[in-house]
Structures are given as structure tokens and as C-alpha cells.
Amino acid sequence: MKNILFIASESVPFIKTGGLADVVGSLPKSFNKDEFDCRVILPKYRSMKGQFAEKLEYVTNFYMDLNWRSQYVGLFKLVYDGVTFYFIDNEYYFGGDKPYSGDTKFDIEKFAFFSRAALSALPILDFRPDLIHCHDWQTGLVPVYLNDCFQLGDFYKGIRSVMTIHNLKFQGVWDIKTVRDLVGLSDYYFTSDKLKFYDDANLLKGGIVYADRVTTVSDTYAEEIKMPFYGEGLDGLMRARSNCLRGIVNGIDYDEYNPETDKFIYQNYNVDNFRKEKLKNKKALQRDLGLEVNEKKFMIGIVSRLTAQKGFDLINHVMDELCQDNVQIVILGTGEGQYENAFRYFDWKYGDKVSAQIYYSEEMSHKIYAAADAFLMPSLFEPCGLSQLMSLRYGTVPIVRETGGLKDTVEAYNQFEGTGTGFSFTNYNAHEMLNTIRYAEQIFYDRKREWNKIVDRGMMRDYSWSTSAKKYEDLYRELLPW
Ligand code: ADP
Ligand code: GLC
């Protein structure tokens, strides 16, 4: 039996701001339980969903030295869906109303504390990991700490590490002097071959340099980040570490996202009866959102963080043109003010055609995945993307830009060969996107049988974790051959 420990900043069902939480919450339970005992350490945020916070079991507490400070570390535990989750408690760091404060300096301090506390707690748990799997910049210091002070004790010797990049855009960067003080590492670590990044310190870079293996969440993104456009200043390091870098595409939780059993949607359906039953979801949503109730209308759904990454500049640019078409557009999302306001404006201007739901709701997201005919995701970059996988599962045809995981998971419709699961375009260009949407409209309105076959093929694809979890298992086996 090999012990694997995930250290991460978010996980469903406890706390979620994006796809990272979906991955951390669903991958551990997909491993072969006879061979891997995979557990997870998370922060115990005050903003965690109330029904879970009550169930956590107190384990112990201790004080940890971090540089010149001595800090309280509480430890809690919960077994959920067969997976053991540990939680690090500290009100000062995790007491805010959301996981990331937006104040980079404080967040760096918070996750340095978390990374170190997670490692310090290990000898107290009845679980010594053979391998620690870190996720994103928040845990970038874990491989660095493992190399540093934690080498001193025998307990930590030989623990291997994997660093998974879910989004290279976020790296945890601040000036060296401050970071050195906050994280408690010596000058040795702040050179260009380690944490130093231009004139600053970079936590994710530390993780990439010190982890035994680096992965990211699709093959295409693994290639893209070796180039300056997608490399966010780390493309040189990515090229240098390309022997240790691998893309493993994400899956989604097929129990959670299942149109046949989903409790959130109006009408359950499956690949055999979607032609009749899926439409009922569209009509009910139209009614609930005050859109024209008409099952024949082409409904485009968007569920997303509202940020430039997701291609909202393209959408805004052609929204007026698109709204001249026979379409309905339903948006669920929160994020940057400029995009929230733009969608509120379009909702007001095209009342019966556009519905902007500017909030976060799991239930509403499921309703949209089930109701829409197409799902629009024209990302500027996309490490993997889970929303398009959820759409495929719900028979909602993705319209995407060919980048990162979108390119790897959505096969473009080919009308001559009768293949493909969605529609895609290459360049980050608003009219190229609009033309692609219009091509989809045309197939939807004029060649419904063809459209339904696209839906059919999408629903038949397997984007559960079954294949990708095996790839992670192979990676663990390479690092833990005994
Ligand atoms: P990212 O992690 O970059 O935000 P992904 O496509 O990987 O993008 O994952 C996004 C996840 O967040 C999906 O599960 C999606 O359904 C969910 N999501 C995004 N915005 C909302 C929202 N406003 N309400 C509910 N779920 C949302
Ligand atoms: C990040 C990426 C997204 C990916 C998710 C889970 O948030 O933006 O593309 O699907 O992580 O790996």
C-alpha cells in the first residue's frame, strides 16, 4: 500500500472557487484503493460550508515556529465519501469571508503558514505519506520545505513530491525581502535557479524547481506553457524541466454530474431519451428566468468565473451582433466588475433574450448545463477546463477556442465525415468566434438530426476519472518503485 497526500487550498464539497476544488475533491476517490491510500489536507476556512464545519472532528493542536513567530496549528479530520480529509485550523489566517483575500502579500503569508503547518502535522497523524501531491502556487513551498528543514528529521526522508499546475497565471509573487521573512527560508533559496523571479520571489517557481515531477492538466497546456505567450514568464523553466513535465487531462465526478440522477435539474434524462426529455429543462429554465418560453430557441449557456482568461472580451465585443440572431443567452458567473456590469447591461438591453445571473450557485449551474443547447467557452487560455466536460456529459454542445484542455477534449464537428462533439475556432478573434457560433446555429436550426448526433457523440465520450486517475497512478509508481 502506498500513501499519497494531497495538499491543496480548496476541495469540493467543503470549499470551492473553481475547477481546482472539483479535481481535489474527486480524484482521490478514483484511485485503486487496494494500492493507494490517498488523503487530503485543506485549510479549515471559516467560509467553509456550514453543514461540514459542524461535522469536523478535533484531533489535536500544537505550536509551530515559523521564522521568529510561534503559531497555533489546530488539526481536524473528517472522512467523506471514503476519503480522509485533514484540516489545518488558524483563525487569523483562515477566518476571512473567502479563501483568497486578494491581498497577495497576506495570501502568501497564509499559504506559507498552511504549507508548513501541513508538513509539521504529519508526524502526529497516523499516516506517513510516501508521496505528497501539491496543487498550484498555494502549495508551491511544500517541495521547497521538504528539501530544507524537513530533511533534518528521518520521518521526512525519502518523501517524494509532485507539483500540479492548474493555472500558471497565478504564482504567488512578492518582493524577496518580505517573502524571505514570511516563509522563513534562508538567502540560499532566493537565487534565479530557485525562487527568484526577475527581482521578486515566486512560490510556484519553488514548487516547480523542487518537485520530483511536474504535471499540468492537459497535454496541450503542457506544450503551450513552454512558449512565451502562455508561459507567464516561466516558459524557460518549463522547457528546462520538460523531462519531468507531463500533461494529464482532468476528469469530472460522473456521480455528481449525471443527468440521469441529478437532483438539481428539472427533468432527468440520458443518452437514449435526451431528444424528448432534455427540452423540458430548457422550457423550465426559460420560465424561471423570465425568458421567452420556446423550446425551439437556440439557448447558449455560460457558467464561469468572469475574468479575461475565459474570453469575455471576445463575447462583449460581438454581443450586440449575436443578439440580432435567433438565440437566447444565459450567463451564470461572478468575477471582475467590468464583466459583471457588461452582462447586467446586456440583460437589461435584451431582456427576453439574455439572462445574467451574477452570483455563485451550484444548483443553477447544473440547471444551465442541462437546459442549454450549446455552451460557450472561448478562453484566451485554458489549462484544462471542466465546464466543457460537464456540458458534454449533459448533451450540451461546447463551442470553444482551440487552446489547452479545450483543444484536447472537444472534437470539432466535421459535417463531411459526420464526426465531432462540438464546435471550435483557432484564433483569439471575436468574429471568428461569432462565425463559429453562427455555424452551430445553422446546424441546430437546419439540420437537427445532425445536431442530435453531435449531442449523442458528446454524451457517449468518457470524461470520468477512470483513464486519468490511472495516469496519475502510473506517475506515482514511477516515483515509488518499491
Ligand atoms: P476554472 O477552474 O478556471 O474556473 P473550470 O472549467 O476548470 O474553470 O472549472 C470551473 C468550475 O466552477 C466548474 O465546476 C463550474 O461549473 C464552476 N462555476 C464557475 N462559476 C460558477 C458559478 N457562478 N456558480 C456555480 N458554479 C460555477
Ligand atoms: C484551473 C484552470 C482550469 C482547470 C482547473 C482544474 O482553475 O483555470 O482550466 O480546469 O484549474 O484543473
Side-chain angles (χ1 to χ4, degrees), residues 198-442:
Y198 300 98
D199 287 333
D200 291 322
N202 182 326
L203 271 56
L204 179 65
K205 186 177 174 199
I208 296 169
V209 169
Y210 279 99
D212 294 306
R213 290 285 191 283
V214 179
T215 73
T216 186
V217 287
S218 68
D219 280 321
T220 294
Y221 194 62
E223 290 306 313
E224 286 173 339
I225 57 180
K226 291 179 203 158
M227 297 183 278
F229 184 82
Y230 295 98
E232 305 288 347
L234 288 177
D235 45 295
L237 176 61
M238 291 305 165
R239 290 194 295 276
R241 290 231 67 190
S242 58
N243 278 342
C244 293
L245 171 68
R246 177 174 319 181
I248 300 179
V249 76
N250 288 331
I252 55 171
D253 187 331
Y254 261 34
D255 298 327
E256 192 72 29
Y257 293 93
N258 182 356
E260 215 165 0
T261 54
D262 193 326
K263 298 269 184 304
F264 289 138
I265 68 178
Y266 303 96
Q267 173 68 50
N268 292 118
Y269 58 94
N270 58 32
V271 68
D272 298 321
N273 64 16
F274 74 86
R275 287 173 181 76
K276 272 204 175 125
E277 304 300 321
K278 181 170 159 61
L279 287 174
K280 294 180 184 164
N281 287 290
K282 175 155 66 172
K283 280 207 293 196
L285 189 67
Q286 287 168 330
R287 188 193 60 222
D288 279 5
L289 298 182
L291 295 165
E292 182 196 329
V293 179
N294 177 349
E295 63 177 38
K296 295 208 157 55
K297 276 252 155 139
F298 184 59
M299 182 189 279
I300 302 173
I302 297 174
V303 177
S304 183
R305 290 184 292 120
L306 301 180
T307 105
Q309 174 191 338
K310 302 293 175 178
F312 287 109
D313 293 320
L314 299 188
I315 298 176
N316 285 351
H317 194 72
V318 294
M319 194 70 176
D320 281 311
E321 278 177 78
L322 178 59
C323 287
Q324 308 312 310
D325 294 5
N326 193 17
V327 297
Q328 285 179 337
I329 303 165
V330 177
I331 301 120
L332 173 68
T334 60
E336 289 168 34
Q338 54 161 326
Y339 301 121
E340 293 190 347
N341 289 333
F343 284 122
R344 287 192 184 105
Y345 165 77
F346 290 122
D347 179 314
W348 165 80
K349 189 169 176 187
Y350 302 103
D352 58 338
K353 283 191 155 173
V354 176
S355 174
Q357 304 295 315
I358 309 298
Y359 51 80
Y360 186 93
S361 160
E362 225 162 286
E363 176 169 353
M364 181 52 77
S365 74
H366 286 236
K367 287 190 157 77
I368 294 174
Y369 290 126
D373 297 296
F375 189 86
L376 182 58
M377 201 165 169
S379 304
L380 173 60
F381 68 94
E382 197 60 74
C384 177
L386 300 176
S387 294
Q388 82 281 11
L389 304 181
M390 294 162 186
S391 300
L392 287 168
R393 174 88 165 138
Y394 282 77
T396 300
V397 177
I399 302 176
V400 303
R401 189 170 93 83
E402 289 154 16
T403 183
L406 297 174
K407 187 171 172 187
D408 295 350
T409 57
V410 177
E411 188 197 339
Y413 170 57
N414 181 323
Q415 67 181 73
F416 306 105
E417 292 177 355
T419 55
T421 56
F423 294 82
S424 65
F425 61 100
T426 311
N427 296 299
Y428 191 70
N429 174 301
H431 280 93
E432 207 173 307
M433 176 189 75
L434 184 61
N435 288 339
T436 308
I437 297 173
R438 288 188 165 152
Y439 178 40
E441 282 173 40
Q442 190 199 325

Side-chain angles (χ1 to χ4, degrees), residues 6 8-13 15-28 100 135-136 164-167 170 217 249-253 257 303-305 307 309-310 360 369 377 382-390 465 472:
F6 277 32
S9 58
E10 51 181 282
S11 171
V12 294
I15 187 100
K16 165 168 165 180
T17 73
L20 170 62
D22 290 305
V23 173
V24 175
S26 56
L27 177 55
Y100 316 124
H135 299 267
D136 272 355
T164 293
I165 302 166
H166 295 264
N167 195 334
F170 305 105
V217 287
V249 76
N250 288 331
I252 55 171
D253 187 331
Y257 293 93
V303 177
S304 183
R305 290 184 292 120
T307 105
Q309 174 191 338
K310 302 293 175 178
Y360 186 93
Y369 290 126
M377 201 165 169
E382 197 60 74
C384 177
L386 300 176
S387 294
Q388 82 281 11
L389 304 181
M390 294 162 186
W465 274 109
Y472 281 111

